[in-house]
Amino acid sequence: MGTKDELQIMRKRNMKLFPTYKKLAWDYLFFYTINFLFLTQVKNINPADVVLIDAFYSLFGIMAQIPAAFIVEFFGRKNSIIIANIVNCLYMVIVIFSTNLFNLLTAEIMSSLAFAIKETAEPSLLNESIPKSKSKDKIFAKISEKGASGYYMINAVSTILAGWLYGINPYIPMLLSLVTTITVTIMSMFFIEPVKKRKTNFENISIRSNLKEIETSFKFILKSERLKGLILYTSLIGGLLCTLDTYQVSLLEDLNISSGAIGIIFACLGIVACLATKKQEQFHHKYRNKSLSIIGLLIIISCFISGILAVFSNNIKYLIIGIIFAYIVKYAMSSIYYSLSEKYLRNFANENIDTKIYNVKNLLKSISSAIIGIFASFLLDRLDTAYCMIILGSIFTILIILVTSYMKSRVGLKPEEYSKEERKYDELKETSKI
């Protein structure tokens, strides 16, 4: 990119802006927890259909990966992020004014495209904005952690406000969420593109060429035992977390917890996630290649325990405290998971492969989320949320044991223990990474 001075300006601008941007842009603020209530109480959508909508989001996410790759390749990382945020604004408008299930499904198509672009372009923009050095992975993790912890804190405050404002008028928190997405769109315009575009017209970027690049990425991943393990794990846990986000609110609603109290509970959980995110590097250094195994098992156990306690909470009210404690464990572990998984995936990756790794990861996560979401909707339409969580917890305990066993001899090795093919795109082959 340009001269040395321009490169320094780009790095300084992007590295400084990114954590502030992520604090507001990582996900919708003023939206989660009340979105389930908004759809079921205001829009009169069946709870099982809400879970099904989430599953359709994942299905659309599968199809969105190819256009997302196309958009990032042609428009670059910065412009793609701007486009994605504009689409998110449109998503929020459609949800606010929706009148039926078809409107919501249309909105989910837009949201899935927006996040397919964001989840590919944003970590890549940060990765390419950091100078090559032995400590690049630590710098990446620190900047990403700062943004994530800030998001959790802001989300905690906005969740309390959303729960309170929802009681006044359900549309107020939705409008605040729209205002936030507009603000985020404006912020994204101040990034500087870190990678000079090699392709400048649509003739050079055909659907066929993008399919070819995705095919090349799949071949590289299929050869990489390390990436196969990581992406299999992130697909499984990422898909489960998408479903649990809805199940957790549904469970509290089944227990007759008010919207205001739900807002306060999830705000406190947001603070827990904020504090846990700050400890992700310490967690990594303490548990090393066991980190992901521990995280996965604790998330799944918290799901199982939540369901078990909820079954008996009608007779023993104080068991609700145990459910909240299980939620605390889940939020702490999921916040560390997001930081570490993003960090691990970018290791051994340069500008030629990083967007493609994220793109393939997003594709497989969408497939996993869709399957899990459809199954979760099927369960919720027939059983109470508590029993659904017990069933999911039982199934995923078996699955995570199988996946982590597969990862044991493939992820977390010393750099010299990996093959040349594994480190084909490594910027600094002597750097110690996971």
Side-chain angles (χ1 to χ4, degrees), residues 296-330:
L297 283 172
L298 287 176
I299 288 174
I300 292 164
I301 290 170
S302 71
C303 169
F304 184 81
I305 290 176
S306 296
I308 290 288
L309 294 178
V311 170
F312 299 100
S313 62
N314 287 329
N315 298 320
I316 310 173
K317 293 296 182 182
Y318 65 80
L319 289 180
I320 292 176
I321 297 173
I323 294 172
I324 294 173
F325 180 77
Y327 282 14
I328 288 172
V329 173
K330 181 263 181 182

Side-chain angles (χ1 to χ4, degrees), residues 35-80:
N35 69 314
F36 183 84
L37 303 176
F38 182 81
L39 293 177
T40 55
Q41 297 177 3
V42 179
K43 300 300 180 178
N44 297 316
I45 305 296
N46 185 284
D49 288 337
V50 175
V51 177
L52 188 60
I53 289 170
D54 291 339
F56 271 103
Y57 168 88
S58 300
L59 283 173
F60 298 141
I62 298 170
M63 297 180 285
Q65 297 309 316
I66 292 175
F70 180 89
I71 289 169
V72 174
E73 281 295 316
F74 182 77
F75 292 102
R77 292 154 176 80
K78 172 193 170 179
N79 290 333
S80 297

Side-chain angles (χ1 to χ4, degrees), residues 200-359:
T200 57
N201 59 62
F202 281 101
E203 293 180 0
N204 291 335
I205 306 180
S206 63
I207 295 294
R208 181 177 296 177
S209 69
N210 275 276
L211 286 172
K212 185 67 176 177
E213 289 183 356
I214 292 175
E215 180 186 350
T216 301
S217 301
F218 264 111
K219 286 181 178 178
F220 173 70
I221 289 169
L222 289 174
K223 290 180 181 178
S224 171
E225 295 295 327
R226 172 183 167 274
L227 281 176
K228 277 193 292 186
L230 282 173
I231 292 179
L232 184 61
Y233 175 90
T234 55
S235 299
L236 186 67
I237 296 299
L240 176 62
L241 289 175
C242 287
T243 296
L244 288 183
D245 286 342
T246 301
Y247 265 17
Q248 287 173 156
V249 181
S250 179
L251 185 66
L252 294 181
E253 193 176 38
D254 286 352
L255 297 174
N256 298 315
I257 308 296
S258 67
S259 61
I262 289 174
I264 292 173
I265 289 170
F266 281 95
C268 294
L269 291 172
I271 294 173
V272 170
C274 171
L275 297 174
T277 301
K278 294 178 182 294
K279 301 294 183 181
Q280 57 92 10
E281 194 65 25
Q282 291 174 253
F283 189 92
H284 163 71
H285 283 297
K286 183 174 182 178
Y287 297 107
R288 303 302 296 180
N289 57 357
K290 295 180 181 178
S291 297
L292 295 181
S293 300
I294 293 170
I295 289 170
L297 283 172
L298 287 176
I299 288 174
I300 292 164
I301 290 170
S302 71
C303 169
F304 184 81
I305 290 176
S306 296
I308 290 288
L309 294 178
V311 170
F312 299 100
S313 62
N314 287 329
N315 298 320
I316 310 173
K317 293 296 182 182
Y318 65 80
L319 289 180
I320 292 176
I321 297 173
I323 294 172
I324 294 173
F325 180 77
Y327 282 14
I328 288 172
V329 173
K330 181 263 181 182
Y331 264 69
M333 290 299 101
S334 62
S335 66
I336 295 175
Y337 156 77
Y338 286 123
S339 296
L340 289 185
S341 62
E342 203 170 74
K343 171 186 173 181
Y344 294 165
L345 283 167
R346 68 143 298 278
N347 287 338
F348 304 146
N350 60 19
E351 66 182 61
N352 297 319
I353 196 67
D354 59 357
T355 58
K356 299 175 181 64
I357 290 174
Y358 290 123
N359 195 248

